[in-house]
Amino acid sequence: MLDLTKEIIYQIYPRSFQDSNGDGIGDIQGIISRLDYLEMLGVSCLWLNPVYPSPGCDNGYDVADYKEIDPVFGNLQDMKKLIEEAEKRGMKIMLDMVFNHTSTEHGWFKRALSGEKKYQDYYFFKAPAPGGGPPTNWKSKFGGTCWEYVPNLGLYYLHLFDKGQADLNWENPQVRKEIMEVLDFWLELGVKGFRFDVINLISKRAFEDDSDGDGRSYYTDGPKVEQYLKEIRAHIGEDIFTVGELSSVSAERCAAYTKPENRELSMAFHFHHLKVDYPDGEKWRLMPFDFNHLRETLHEWDMKMQEKGGWSALFFNCHDQPRSLSRFGNDRRYQARWAKLLASLTLTRRGTPYIYQGEEIGMTNAGFECLDDYRDVESLNSYQILRDNGLSEEETLQILAARSRDNARTPMQWRREGGFTEGEPWISENQNKRTVNVEDSLKDPESVFHFYRELIRLRKSSDAIQKGRIEMIRMDNDSIYAYKRSYGDEEIVCLHNFTENKLPIRRDFKDHQVLLSSCEKPDQTCLSPCECRILKKTA
Ligand code: TEU
Ligand code: CA
């Protein structure tokens, strides 16, 4: 039986993980060559971002064939080999299922364009609005309208993301049947988990103008999302774990989607803690992040999911987010301490932890300085929108440097000289590879990597951390983020000093034993700068 509390999931962005054939693009054979490293880290499952045939409008989230592997990444035999080799090392494979939309290069969409009504009903083709123009005023998440006009049909089609990503019509039972067949295909191959991309967007309420917004309220957490999730769960059974990526979800719906008794998702990614540095919720504006807002958002969601019986994916990094060490820590001072503190927040809270490639060695934002460095469609669109809105080149590049998804997509830093590829990488490497790399991390017992291993070992040994209750501990200093995890008579206390100053500890933890600290000689009376410390109640 599946036990989510024991899973520790490592996210691989295949394009940037390890290249095996010198074309500058990561591939499945490259991943296979790094399985011993991942086994050493101690993770139980590998989540791969999409590796299916795709024209690459959105780095693979525009899928042209759900049951194949894009030749740039390898082939189905490579995937089968990866699954087998991972299993030999006690690791499962989770694949990314992009079911809200297909690429406009998908066979289904091509047949829709050729006029086949059956396949037009796989998507949302709508007549122009009465006065002409797009059917509704909704906005794409990548900027601009979310409707693309097809002249020879005289119709628009819906794309919540790039125009190369046409939304699927889940109301159509034939579409749902196709989806189940795709899942069966990968289960046959031995896949043990699925990530469902923006899965709470698959049920659209109605197609009307959104008088007060961008259309989000018409397609987020729609009326049939739970029905569709239950259909998927009934089809794949209880032993396959699933994680839903939930866009702008409420805590209530997030808990409903992930409560075991509802038989929908095993767990979910929600993003509220990753919007605390968005002024008025706007991603493409800058403001310093407010630690108190981060702590309270994390705490609020941890408590709501605990009270309502939901289950969170715990993460600060992924392929869509800038690197948390640069964003919430400091990538110039106390880097290792900050990286270890963020690691503790990921691995000791209540939920299933996700480690994003490179996070375990303290990788940072890319430090790109010119537009040519960027590859991501969302970033390139946003650059143009910001410039059209009158921002200077310098201001715009400053925003991109902080916000772009490409910050997470620079090649994995294996050695001082890089080690990702023998060829020209598809995106520039971060120049701090000379000091931030796997080779040096493995040799240094005090490295971020070895701290991740310690934390993972600690998590695996503790019922309280894996499945215990979480409760905030209000310290005398709000800059200390403290909570306790309890299960039976086991009680673990986790302290995080979110400042670069020494802070006194005025609570009595004398009857606690230090299990792990990011400071070599933890002082009982105070926390060192950005120290995280984990204690166990002994008496
Ligand atoms: O992301 C959903 C999504 O909305 C993200 O684009 C995120 O909101 C945004 O990047 C943050 O500003 C999923 C995938 O993770 C992402 O890579 C895809 O681009 C997107 O869906 C479309 O498939
Ligand atoms: Ca390659």
Side-chain angles (χ1 to χ4, degrees):
M1 185 61 187
L2 184 67
D3 182 351
L4 290 178
T5 65
K6 296 205 179 308
E7 296 297 336
I8 297 173
I9 300 174
Y10 187 92
Q11 180 191 352
I12 293 176
Y13 195 69
R15 185 174 289 274
S16 304
F17 190 66
Q18 178 65 67
D19 175 21
S20 71
N21 62 354
D23 66 358
I25 299 172
D27 45 54
I28 295 170
Q29 282 294 345
I31 298 172
I32 292 171
S33 72
R34 294 294 182 182
L35 287 176
D36 290 341
Y37 165 75
L38 295 167
E39 184 187 14
M40 189 199 307
L41 181 58
V43 294
S44 63
C45 172
L46 307 178
W47 154 31
L48 272 59
N49 290 100
V51 288
Y52 321 106
S54 164
C57 299
D58 184 14
N59 276 5
Y61 279 91
D62 44 324
V63 178
D65 183 344
Y66 285 114
K67 299 179 190 172
E68 252 308 341
I69 300 291
D70 193 300
V72 82
F73 295 117
N75 56 45
L76 284 169
Q77 287 62 43
D78 293 334
M79 180 59 84
K80 186 112 186 75
K81 179 80 174 156
L82 171 62
I83 291 167
E84 287 163 3
E85 288 304 316
E87 281 193 351
K88 283 179 192 167
R89 297 164 175 84
M91 295 183 283
K92 297 178 277 288
I93 296 295
M94 174 198 276
L95 291 186
D96 210 324
M97 294 288 130
V98 188
F99 288 153
N100 176 68
H101 45 268
T102 74
S103 163
T104 47
E105 292 300 307
H106 195 291
W108 301 340
F109 192 81
K110 286 183 177 172
R111 295 181 72 169
L113 287 185
S114 70
E116 287 192 60
K117 184 79 176 61
K118 172 187 176 186
Y119 289 99
Q120 286 179 359
D121 289 345
Y122 274 35
Y123 299 92
F124 295 103
F125 281 90
K126 301 284 179 194
T136 68
N137 64 349
W138 302 359
K139 293 280 173 286
S140 158
K141 285 175 179 288
F142 289 165
T145 174
C146 63
W147 294 99
E148 181 68 11
Y149 188 61
V150 183
N152 66 311
L153 296 179
L155 298 170
Y156 285 83
Y157 67 85
L158 177 69
H159 61 88
L160 295 183
F161 293 91
D162 186 77
K163 69 180 181 187
Q165 297 167 290
D167 278 55
L168 277 170
N169 173 11
W170 274 70
E171 296 273 349
N172 183 341
Q174 190 53 38
V175 166
R176 301 204 301 275
K177 183 170 177 295
E178 298 272 12
I179 296 291
M180 302 307 162
E181 285 173 14
V182 170
L183 294 171
D184 288 342
F185 177 85
W186 294 110
L187 291 172
E188 288 287 304
L189 212 70
V191 166
K192 291 287 184 294
F194 294 115
R195 174 211 187 244
F196 293 117
D197 188 59
V198 289
I199 199 69
N200 66 322
L201 306 186
I202 59 177
S203 167
K204 276 70 171 174
R205 285 185 174 78
F207 292 96
E208 301 163 0
D209 272 352
D210 182 353
S211 53
D212 60 357
D214 53 13
R216 225 174 268 248
S217 59
Y218 280 87
Y219 58 72
T220 304
D221 285 340
K224 295 189 178 173
V225 170
E226 291 203 67
Q227 173 199 320
Y228 300 151
L229 291 175
K230 288 179 193 298
E231 279 181 30
I232 290 175
R233 174 57 69 196
H235 188 82
I236 64 176
E238 302 297 325
D239 271 345
I240 300 298
F241 62 95
T242 60
V243 57
E245 185 209 26
L246 304 178
S247 183
S248 312
V249 69
S250 66
E252 287 61 32
R253 291 301 288 269
C254 189
Y257 296 148
T258 57
K259 266 172 93 142
E261 54 269 41
N262 286 355
R263 287 188 167 67
E264 294 173 21
L265 295 168
S266 310
M267 58 190 127
F269 289 109
H270 42 81
F271 292 81
H272 296 263
H273 61 298
L274 297 178
K275 295 184 177 176
V276 296
D277 54 354
Y278 290 3
D280 307 322
E282 282 184 54
K283 169 173 180 174
W284 299 99
R285 275 176 51 204
L286 297 184
M287 74 181 223
F289 102 93
D290 167 358
F291 160 65
N292 291 312
H293 188 184
L294 176 68
R295 181 195 59 232
E296 292 311 308
T297 306
L298 288 169
H299 179 58
E300 178 199 350
W301 275 79
D302 284 352
M303 296 314 286
K304 280 186 173 173
M305 293 297 269
Q306 176 168 267
E307 283 148 24
K308 297 173 186 304
W311 195 253
S312 295
L314 303 171
F315 73 114
F316 284 97
N317 295 286
C318 71
H319 63 294
D320 287 335
Q321 298 292 330
R323 292 271 181 184
S324 62
L325 177 51
S326 304
R327 183 179 190 182
F328 299 129
N330 187 336
D331 55 19
R332 298 198 181 293
R333 256 162 54 103
Y334 293 115
Q335 295 97 307
R337 280 274 184 86
W338 278 115
K340 293 173 181 179
L341 180 146
L342 291 163
S344 172
L345 286 178
T346 305
L347 283 152
T348 62
R349 290 178 26 247
R350 179 183 176 277
T352 295
Y354 283 69
I355 299 168
Y356 178 64
Q357 70 179 49
E359 172 185 340
E360 77 280 8
I361 59 168
M363 278 180 69
T364 67
N365 277 352
F368 289 161
E369 292 175 350
C370 62
L371 186 60
D372 288 351
D373 288 329
Y374 291 95
R375 298 290 178 273
D376 169 31
V377 59
E378 183 196 38
S379 304
L380 296 172
N381 288 358
S382 299
Y383 171 87
Q384 203 49 60
I385 292 166
L386 293 167
R387 299 283 280 129
D388 293 348
N389 289 346
L391 263 69
S392 71
E393 168 92 1
E394 186 190 1
E395 285 169 313
T396 306
L397 289 173
Q398 200 186 9
I399 294 172
L400 251 64
R403 293 284 195 255
S404 171
R405 302 190 297 181
D406 282 331
N407 280 308
R409 301 177 180 183
T410 57
M412 184 70 182
Q413 294 161 202
W414 297 102
R415 300 198 304 273
R416 292 178 189 169
E417 56 283 0
F420 162 69
T421 179
E422 297 303 319
E424 186 59 32
W426 69 279
I427 187 170
S428 302
E429 295 173 305
N430 189 320
Q431 286 320 301
N432 67 11
K433 62 186 178 182
R434 290 177 185 74
T435 52
V436 177
N437 60 72
V438 167
E439 185 179 35
D440 290 343
S441 302
L442 294 180
K443 291 176 199 156
D444 171 7
E446 296 307 316
S447 68
V448 175
F449 176 81
H450 286 299
F451 194 78
Y452 265 86
R453 291 182 75 207
E454 288 298 311
L455 270 173
I456 288 169
R457 257 202 283 271
L458 171 57
R459 181 180 177 94
K460 286 180 176 176
S461 70
S462 164
D463 283 338
I465 294 179
Q466 285 180 9
K467 49 191 173 187
R469 281 191 62 75
I470 187 166
E471 286 166 66
M472 178 77 93
I473 301 174
R474 291 292 174 189
M475 302 292 282
D476 48 293
N477 185 321
D478 267 352
S479 296
I480 299 175
Y481 182 2
Y483 47 82
K484 77 176 177 183
R485 305 295 315 278
S486 41
Y487 187 83
D489 54 13
E490 182 189 2
E491 189 176 290
I492 300 283
V493 168
C494 306
L495 307 176
H496 305 83
N497 176 359
F498 249 87
T499 74
E500 295 184 356
N501 311 309
K502 197 184 267 194
L503 293 183
I505 300 176
R506 293 211 178 87
R507 282 179 70 107
D508 172 8
F509 291 112
K510 289 194 184 58
D511 56 353
H512 287 65
Q513 157 205 358
V514 176
L515 295 179
L516 185 62
S517 166
S518 55
C519 168
E520 277 168 60
K521 294 190 181 60
D523 177 334
Q524 204 168 5
T525 64
C526 67
L527 286 172
S528 299
C530 31
E531 178 188 356
C532 66
R533 188 181 301 178
I534 298 162
L535 308 101
K536 180 172 187 173
K537 193 170 173 57
T538 46

